[in-house]
């Protein structure tokens, strides 16, 4: 029961606390996964670092 409740707190497949947001943004930028940012922001709230994610996304997009 505890595991199922904790899974609801974050985006599916993402552990919000301790996530390397730059790296995740970079990977999403490489894949042009633009909709992911909003999903992380909504699901991870205070753990989501929008600045790091955006920098990573831009760097990943530039490498495509």
């Amino acid at each position: 029961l505890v595991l199922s409740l904790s899974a609801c707190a974050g985006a599916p497949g993402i552990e919000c606390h301790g996530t390397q947001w730059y790296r995740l943004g970079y990977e999403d930028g490489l894949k042009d996964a633009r909709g992911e940012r909003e999903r992380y922001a909504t699901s991870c709230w205070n753990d989501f670092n929008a600045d790091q994610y955006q920098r990573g996304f831009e760097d990943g997009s530039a490498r495509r």
Side-chain angles (χ1 to χ4, degrees):
L1 179 61
V2 173
L3 292 175
S4 65
L5 291 176
S6 65
C8 295
I14 295 296
E15 176 63 42
C16 295
H17 182 69
T19 296
Q20 295 179 2
W21 293 108
Y22 176 89
R23 181 177 173 192
L24 188 58
Y26 186 88
E27 292 170 3
D28 286 349
L30 288 173
K31 298 182 285 189
D32 196 29
R34 296 184 183 275
E36 295 300 294
R37 183 178 196 264
E38 186 63 32
R39 184 171 70 103
Y40 303 140
T42 300
S43 296
C44 294
W45 297 35
N46 291 336
D47 288 322
F48 180 62
N49 187 318
D51 291 335
Q52 285 184 11
Y53 179 85
Q54 188 61 37
R55 274 185 259 140
F57 188 91
E58 290 170 3
D59 290 348
S61 292
R63 300 283 278 170
R64 270 189 286 126

